[in-house]
Amino acid sequence: MKKLKNIFIGFFVVCAVTLAPVFAADNGCDDPDNDAIVAELALCSTHAYNIGVTQNPTGADRELMREVVAMKTTLITQQMYKQYQQMESMLRRLKTQLQKAVLNTKLQVAGADSSSGGSGGSGGRFESSDRNVYLAGIENCMNLYDDEKILECYQKNLTTLVNSSKQGSDPSPEIKKQLANDYTNLKAIVFGGEKSACTEYSDGSDGKDLCVNSKMKNKEFKDTCLNRMRTCLQNQTRAYRNNQAKLSKD
């Protein structure tokens, strides 16, 4: 067991630094006459080499050889999969950056200010086929099915709206539309009970909540509607948690 531990620890340290030495010809795996192979550095096709011997062992050493080969193979597979995940993540980031670059180029060709980046504020234009998304960086929370993730989605959207509007002082028409849309959809959710946890208002020109109307004034957006969205989100979060606690007791 001590020999198995030492071989595997040495092999693990090498793999943790880089996967490349595992396949390197310099480790001697390609030479059948090599009796000085460093077992910690390679996974050889000749299984005996993996435990530092040159002939297939018998008895306990044969079982040791099998365990070492199995562990080395598992570790290599895990390292390869980890590198695959890292590469996949990098490709996704590159794809996103490319899409942003293409969008910025289109905006510049159309005469938009390149500094706006098409992300909201008072300049730039954003086009989406999703009727619940009016601004770059926003997610359609209605596409989600897990209640907790839905609430997290609206929280992230609200943060984006606050940042894009310079803390509420400079909301573009798209930002107002997004707030009105998210606020309306969030208010409609019921977490237990018979009605939404959000407060009902009727202070709009049409007798409805003024914040469900994207035509709200800038002052109303900053002083009233952002706060209503925050309060509604807090109340809905409490309702969700209370409902979860109740369900766990039943």
Side-chain angles (χ1 to χ4, degrees):
M1 180 58 70
K2 184 177 181 181
K3 183 177 182 180
L4 168 63
K5 181 178 180 182
N6 290 339
I7 290 175
F8 188 62
I9 289 176
F11 181 72
F12 178 80
V13 170
V14 173
C15 285
V17 176
T18 173
L19 191 59
V22 175
F23 302 105
D26 291 342
N27 289 325
C29 284
D30 59 335
D31 185 357
D33 297 322
N34 189 344
D35 60 356
I37 293 172
V38 182
E40 293 85 352
L41 300 183
L43 175 60
C44 298
S45 58
T46 302
H47 289 181
Y49 294 176
N50 291 290
I51 59 172
V53 298
T54 58
Q55 300 294 328
N56 284 333
T58 59
D61 283 345
R62 187 172 183 82
E63 184 61 28
L64 169 66
M65 179 183 71
R66 289 174 177 171
E67 291 185 35
V68 169
V69 171
M71 287 190 292
K72 285 184 176 183
T73 303
T74 298
L75 182 58
I76 289 174
T77 303
Q78 290 174 340
Q79 291 294 319
M80 291 178 67
Y81 181 65
K82 182 178 180 181
Q83 290 185 7
Y84 166 78
Q85 288 180 312
Q86 292 173 341
M87 183 180 296
E88 187 178 37
S89 177
M90 179 185 68
L91 289 175
R92 284 198 299 267
R93 291 195 298 270
L94 288 174
K95 181 180 178 181
T96 300
Q97 292 173 359
L98 179 60
Q99 289 174 333
K100 289 182 178 180
V102 171
L103 176 60
N104 285 339
T105 300
K106 290 181 178 179
L107 290 172
Q108 291 177 36
V109 171
D113 182 0
S114 61
S115 63
S116 68
S119 60
S122 58
R125 292 182 296 178
F126 173 76
E127 295 182 0
S128 173
S129 58
D130 192 327
R131 64 184 182 85
N132 288 294
V133 176
Y134 300 94
L135 196 70
I138 292 293
E139 182 179 1
N140 182 0
C141 303
M142 297 185 71
N143 286 337
L144 304 176
Y145 298 95
D146 182 274
D147 290 340
E148 187 171 0
K149 292 187 181 301
I150 290 173
L151 292 169
E152 290 177 357
C153 176
Y154 282 118
Q155 174 62 57
K156 291 178 181 178
N157 281 2
L158 178 57
T159 299
T160 300
L161 294 177
V162 171
N163 293 336
S164 299
S165 63
K166 300 178 182 178
Q167 308 304 310
S169 62
D170 185 25
S172 67
E174 290 75 23
I175 291 176
K176 292 179 182 178
K177 287 180 181 178
Q178 192 64 58
L179 179 66
N181 181 82
D182 279 9
Y183 180 56
T184 299
N185 292 336
L186 178 61
K187 286 179 62 178
I189 303 176
V190 178
F191 295 108
E194 300 179 354
K195 63 178 183 177
S196 169
C198 296
T199 304
E200 288 294 336
Y201 297 94
S202 57
D203 50 357
S205 58
D206 54 1
K208 299 179 181 179
D209 189 329
L210 88 88
C211 296
V212 302
N213 189 337
S214 62
K215 302 298 184 182
M216 66 187 81
K217 298 177 181 178
N218 286 7
K219 182 175 177 58
E220 293 172 338
F221 175 89
K222 180 180 180 181
D223 297 341
T224 302
C225 297
L226 283 179
N227 289 331
R228 284 188 186 177
M229 181 66 181
R230 291 190 187 97
T231 302
C232 180
L233 186 56
Q234 290 171 348
N235 291 342
Q236 290 285 56
T237 301
R238 291 192 192 99
Y240 163 73
R241 291 175 178 170
N242 291 338
N243 188 53
Q244 290 297 106
K246 179 180 178 182
L247 291 174
S248 64
K249 291 180 181 179
D250 294 341

